[in-house]
Amino acid sequence: MTKKVLVLLGSPRRKGNSAILAEQITKGARSGKAKVETIYLHGKNIAPCKACMSCQKKGSKGCSIQDDMQEIYPKLISADAWVIASPVYWFTMSAQTKIFMDRCFALPAYHKDPFRGKRIAIAMTYGDEDSFTSGCVNALRTFQDAYGYTESPIVGMVYGSAMDAGQIRSNEKVMQEAFDLGKKLVAE
Ligand SMILES: Cc1cc2nc3c(=O)[nH]c(=O)nc-3n(C[C@H](O)[C@H](O)[C@H](O)COP(=O)(O)O)c2cc1C
């Protein structure tokens, strides 16, 4: 059966480094015959969670905030795999990515067990040379904790150093790793 992959881009730079790694993952997934849809989070109207807790109430119909997340929730649910791509901003994921993560709190109000078994790929880029001092590892640990909690297997995480938009292309190793991760994401 054709696998569905949803790509969430968390950088304001449409052609930036994290988007380039996500595109490589996409190419790998497409080579495995997957159907891919990409969402550019920065261009969407997505408000931060306001902790009203209405999504957590019994019989809830979902998130009370009527914004662009409402069209993203069903896509998240129907996808077999998610690719989350983010730059490191101030030693963690970008605000756009974090707001998206917080709003996923409401996902169980739309569907039973929406996270369980969802296959996850993470792509991150950072300006520092070191994955630890950049804050990248900090962000990767957050994804590990989040998707460990939701029982969504992280199939792989690709990350590399690059400051200017497009610079990541010269890192052939990580570009190949990203392509391979895309193939693995939709294998089985
Ligand atoms: C607001 C802002 C904060 C940043 N904070 C960090 C940081 O904490 N650590 C780091 O290594 N790089 C940091 N960077 C550099 C970016 O992570 C780097 O340029 C990355 O490749 C951008 O990815 P993108 O092209 O996908 O946007 C920051 C850049 C910006 C604009």
Side-chain angles (χ1 to χ4, degrees):
M1 216 174 72
T2 308
K3 294 272 169 60
K4 280 164 79 176
V5 177
L6 188 65
V7 181
L8 293 313
L9 299 180
S11 172
R13 300 205 285 203
R14 270 182 187 268
K15 294 183 177 162
N17 298 308
S18 54
I20 289 167
L21 287 186
E23 195 190 352
Q24 281 294 101
I25 296 174
T26 295
K27 284 182 185 161
R30 286 211 172 100
S31 79
K33 306 268 177 286
K35 197 166 157 267
V36 183
E37 180 175 354
T38 300
I39 295 175
Y40 175 58
L41 292 172
H42 183 74
K44 298 280 180 195
N45 172 29
I46 303 177
C49 170
K50 57 180 183 176
C52 68
M53 296 296 166
S54 67
C55 65
Q56 304 298 306
K57 291 186 185 123
K58 208 165 172 253
S60 168
K61 293 213 162 40
C63 181
S64 65
I65 306 173
Q66 295 303 313
D67 63 7
D68 290 346
M69 268 310 282
Q70 296 297 346
E71 70 197 39
I72 298 177
Y73 288 127
K75 294 179 195 282
L76 288 164
I77 288 162
S78 68
D80 299 292
W82 302 345
V83 177
I84 301 177
S86 175
V88 174
Y89 275 6
W90 279 92
F91 309 99
T92 187
M93 67 188 75
S94 69
Q96 292 87 336
T97 310
K98 183 59 166 60
I99 287 174
F100 158 79
M101 295 285 288
D102 287 358
R103 292 288 301 280
C104 285
F105 193 39
L107 213 46
Y110 295 85
H111 197 268
K112 192 175 177 287
D113 283 341
F115 295 101
R116 190 168 297 146
K118 202 71 76 179
R119 292 166 71 78
I120 311 285
I122 306 293
M124 294 206 71
T125 56
Y126 46 91
D128 194 342
E129 281 175 13
D130 184 88
S131 58
F132 281 87
T133 54
S134 64
C136 181
V137 169
N138 185 40
L140 297 177
R141 287 284 303 116
T142 302
F143 287 118
Q144 285 176 328
D145 284 350
Y147 294 119
Y149 174 74
T150 61
E151 298 181 36
S152 318
I154 297 183
V155 179
M157 306 194 290
V158 289
Y159 49 95
S161 169
M163 184 57 95
D164 300 333
Q167 208 185 336
I168 198 72
R169 286 191 196 282
S170 60
N171 185 338
E172 286 175 23
K173 186 170 171 280
V174 78
M175 292 290 281
Q176 184 63 46
E177 281 171 5
F179 182 84
D180 294 342
L181 174 55
K183 284 208 290 197
K184 194 174 167 195
L185 191 63
V186 298
E188 289 164 27

